[in-house]
Amino acid sequence: MQKVILAEQIPEVASYMVPEAFRYIGESRIESFEGFETFDLFAFDWYDIHGDQIFLSKVIIYMDKNNIFFICGDKDSKEHCSGIVSMLSKDTPASNEQLLYRFFICLFRGDMDYLDSFETKINDLLTDLLSGELNNVPGEVTEQRRELLRLKRYYEQLDIMFDEIAINDNRLLSPKTIRRLTALGARTDRYLNKVNNLQELVSHIQETYQSQLAIQQNDLMKIFTVITAIFLPLTLIVGWYGMNFVYMPELSWKYGYPLVIVISIGIVAVLIWYFKHKKWL
């Protein structure tokens, strides 16, 4: 029998399962792959990378010589698994081993394209960042880090599962199927390496953002420093004339005040020219 069910529907197929497996699944003791004398259990947290769902859903596959059951944690995962199984069984009924292998082939369909598009999105963000557009960077980086963390957890536990399948102590799976599943394990390993590289790229973007932010802050501080340096001589003149001296000859001279204005303007003009010459402005 080949069937896709929800976790609460396990009693419906309990009569087709080895009693030990029924108890084992009910106690939620399965984490990755477990090979028993007469049956195998595969467990992984399914993540719909092409959909809007951000939560992982537990999927357990029970398989013996006569039956294979896909036990899903929620309706979304059941709908996805049912679609795959129905498509694979529509024309020619497949054996349990064939269905298992082809199920994972369909499960990974489009994953590399998604990771490539994700990489393009990150590179576009880096290009915008280097061009000085910093407004959306923190939110984008946070969302990308969360997505990559979900992908990493998803591919890590699948990679572990395929590694453990290769042991095949009970010989329930044929050598041909083991080779195929081992090849799928190599594929998940490539996916995982891709995700790790994307995580490093996102970390680089975050570091670049901090550097660009520091550069902007330094430029702002440089402007304030230049403005302060320009008006410092004027402040000195104001302080000088603010002193209560008994006698200051230039105060009684009719051109004294205009001269101070000219000198102040001249000082500002010279300092501005100097700072521009040094490319500080």
Side-chain angles (χ1 to χ4, degrees), residues 64-208:
D64 57 30
K65 290 184 177 181
N66 301 314
N67 306 291
I68 182 169
F69 301 130
F70 298 86
I71 305 167
C72 306
D74 57 29
K75 292 182 179 179
D76 289 331
S77 58
K78 180 179 183 296
E79 182 179 352
H80 190 77
C81 292
S82 296
I84 294 177
V85 172
S86 298
M87 179 187 66
L88 295 175
S89 306
K90 180 174 61 175
D91 297 328
T92 303
S95 66
N96 292 340
E97 290 189 43
Q98 290 175 334
L99 181 61
L100 179 68
Y101 169 70
R102 293 175 182 174
F103 172 82
F104 284 113
I105 287 290
C106 293
L107 192 68
F108 295 146
R109 186 168 295 165
D111 284 21
M112 185 55 74
D113 290 337
Y114 175 79
L115 294 177
D116 288 339
S117 64
F118 200 97
E119 183 178 23
T120 301
K121 184 179 179 181
I122 293 176
N123 284 318
D124 290 342
L125 181 61
L126 180 59
T127 301
D128 293 341
L129 176 59
L130 294 176
S131 65
E133 298 180 13
L134 307 182
N135 294 334
N136 299 324
V137 172
E140 288 286 342
V141 168
T142 300
E143 182 58 34
Q144 289 172 355
R145 289 174 68 93
R146 290 174 180 171
E147 174 68 6
L148 289 173
L149 182 60
R150 289 190 289 265
L151 290 170
K152 183 178 180 180
R153 290 174 178 171
Y154 175 51
Y155 290 124
E156 271 182 344
Q157 38 102 32
L158 284 171
D159 192 47
I160 293 172
M161 185 185 71
F162 285 122
D163 286 343
E164 295 176 348
I165 288 174
I167 300 174
N168 195 31
D169 288 335
N170 57 16
R171 299 291 185 263
L172 189 62
L173 298 173
S174 67
K176 182 178 180 180
T177 301
I178 290 297
R179 287 195 300 270
R180 289 177 172 177
L181 294 177
T182 301
L184 285 179
R187 182 185 297 187
T188 58
D189 190 56
R190 291 194 296 271
Y191 292 158
L192 186 57
N193 288 335
K194 182 82 168 182
V195 171
N196 290 333
N197 292 335
L198 291 176
Q199 284 184 316
E200 292 178 2
L201 185 56
V202 170
S203 297
H204 175 65
I205 288 178
Q206 189 171 17
E207 294 172 359
T208 304

Side-chain angles (χ1 to χ4, degrees), residues 228 230-241:
T228 301
I230 290 174
F231 287 97
L232 186 59
L234 305 184
T235 305
L236 178 62
I237 294 174
V238 170
W240 176 267
Y241 279 93

Side-chain angles (χ1 to χ4, degrees), residues 3-15:
K3 195 169 185 179
V4 180
I5 59 174
L6 289 171
E8 57 264 27
Q9 296 174 317
I10 293 181
E12 298 178 8
V13 297
S15 60

